[in-house]
């Protein structure tokens, strides 16, 4: 039976007690307390860490409100299905805790929009650039350069597959970078700026057909994984001799490579993809296994097109 006078059973909590209860509440309960008082609203807003905009998009005013009201946000995902100028607030925000920024469906601004340079990423405020560690602009069609990334000195991860960036020079300012994904970027031709990123552990340059040299990776002494299938212009693996911690090398369809000798300096190598490479490389695998003892010999004698990797039984 419905209570005719629910207010009679209301419980009145002091502000101090509500704050003490805070760690015990689940997310819906916390959200429900936002309207209790100004103090609780500040507590609720300050506790919000992850924000994702609707897939249908948002307005600049809505983004401004989010950045102002929720100062504790650490992870922000924005679907930009309307005008790219809605990202203007990113250039003025005073957020100091944001660690991860993901842009979805972002197409570079149209000519005439003066808030950022045509073809570039949205401008980032000084405060925002100082804290960002992850930027994901995967499949953001129309972004052809990433100058804004150069101001992110703490950046650890940049994901930009299927983006047409031709110049990686802004990354020379990102000395903390650990992961770079730029697969299917047909415009980039030089990895030289990566010499300034000695902490890189993962580089995915799959099908970056304009890349003809991996000389820059000799500075990436902490490199664990290099993906370069389809980089058909690469012919020399000697820079990898400086990457003694390398564990995975994916180099399918790199038909100009004729020697695996540099990989003897990579004793931790446990996965090597030689599909559609020069057949003569298969004859070099046995010698390579003497130096790279974690490379398991495939059970099949047909070496062409196989992926050499650590056997499950050897991982225990």
């Amino acid at each position: 039976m419905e209570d005719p006078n629910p207010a009679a059973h209301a419980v009145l909590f002091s502000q101090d007690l509500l704050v003490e209860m805070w760690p015990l509440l689940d997310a819906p309960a916390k959200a429900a307390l936002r309207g209790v008082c100004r103090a609780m609203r500040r507590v609720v807003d300050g506790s919000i860490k992850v924000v994702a905009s609707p897939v249908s998009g948002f307005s600049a005013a809505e983004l401004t409100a989010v950045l102002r009201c929720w100062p504790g946000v650490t992870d922000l995902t924005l679907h930009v299905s309307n005008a790219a100028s809605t990202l203007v607030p990113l250039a003025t925000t005073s957020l100091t805790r944001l660690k991860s920024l993901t842009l979805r469906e972002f197409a570079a601004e149209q000519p005439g929009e003066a808030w950022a340079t045509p073809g570039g990423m949205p401008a980032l405020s000084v405060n925002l650039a100082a804290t960002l560690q992850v930027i994901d602009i995967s499949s953001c069609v129309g972004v052809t350069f990433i100058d804004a990334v150069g101001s992110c000195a703490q950046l650890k991860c940049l994901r930009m597959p299927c983006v047409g960036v031709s110049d990686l020079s802004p990354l020379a300012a990102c000395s903390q970078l650990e992961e770079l994904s730029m697969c299917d970027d047909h415009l980039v031709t030089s990895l030289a700026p990566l010499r300034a990123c000695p902490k890189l552990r993962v580089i995915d340059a799959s099908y970056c057909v304009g890349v003809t040299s991996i000389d820059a990776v000799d500075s990436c002494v902490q490199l664990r994984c290099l993906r370069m299938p389809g980089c058909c212009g690469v012919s020399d693996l000697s820079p990898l001799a400086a990457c003694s911690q390398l564990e995975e090398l994916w180099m399918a369809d790199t038909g100009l490579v004729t020697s695996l000798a540099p990989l003897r300096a990579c004793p931790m190598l446990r996965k090597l993809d030689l599909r559609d490479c020069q057949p003569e490389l298969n004859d070099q695998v046995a010698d390579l296994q003497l130096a790279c003892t974690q490379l398991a010999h495939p059970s099949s004698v047909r070496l062409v097109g196989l992926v050499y990797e650590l056997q499950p039984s050897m991982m225990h």
Side-chain angles (χ1 to χ4, degrees), residues 109-124:
E109 57 282 358
Q110 299 299 315
E113 292 183 346
W115 64 277
T117 307
M121 281 182 55
L124 304 174

Side-chain angles (χ1 to χ4, degrees), residues 93-285:
T93 179
S94 58
L95 282 184
T96 58
R97 300 181 185 178
L98 193 67
K99 304 296 184 184
S100 176
L101 174 64
T102 299
L103 301 182
R104 292 284 179 258
E105 304 174 34
F106 172 70
E109 57 282 358
Q110 299 299 315
E113 292 183 346
W115 64 277
T117 307
M121 281 182 55
L124 304 174
S125 70
V126 173
N127 290 331
L128 193 59
T131 61
L132 272 176
Q133 296 182 7
V134 178
I135 295 178
D136 187 338
I137 55 172
S138 303
S139 302
C140 288
V141 181
V143 175
T144 57
F145 57 89
I146 51 173
D147 287 14
V149 171
S151 60
C152 302
Q154 301 304 312
L155 191 66
K156 293 184 177 181
C157 176
L158 175 60
R159 303 188 185 106
M160 53 176 193
C162 304
V163 175
V165 173
S166 59
D167 182 13
L168 299 181
S169 58
L171 296 182
C174 303
S175 60
Q176 303 302 308
L177 194 65
E178 297 179 3
E179 178 184 340
L180 173 63
S181 175
M182 55 179 187
C183 59
D184 292 306
D185 187 335
H186 297 169
L187 298 182
V188 66
T189 58
S190 174
L191 303 181
L194 302 187
R195 291 189 182 278
C197 306
K199 295 186 177 181
L200 268 170
R201 296 166 63 91
V202 178
I203 300 174
D204 187 350
S206 304
Y207 300 99
C208 292
V209 295
V211 174
T212 59
S213 169
I214 59 170
D215 288 355
V217 302
D218 62 3
S219 298
C220 305
V221 294
Q222 298 186 37
L223 192 65
R224 299 290 198 279
C225 176
L226 175 60
R227 295 178 177 267
M228 47 178 261
C231 293
C232 50
V234 174
S235 60
D236 184 14
L237 298 182
S238 58
L240 292 176
C243 304
S244 60
Q245 300 183 53
L246 188 68
E247 297 179 4
E248 299 183 19
L249 176 59
W250 299 79
M251 49 177 285
D253 197 20
T254 51
L256 298 182
V257 176
T258 58
S259 175
L260 299 179
L263 300 182
R264 295 174 184 170
C266 307
M268 300 178 69
L269 191 66
R270 62 181 179 84
K271 187 171 292 186
L272 177 61
D273 183 356
L274 295 178
R275 290 172 293 176
D276 300 316
C277 292
Q278 290 284 355
E280 61 194 82
L281 294 184
N282 299 314
D283 300 330
Q284 302 177 32
V285 172

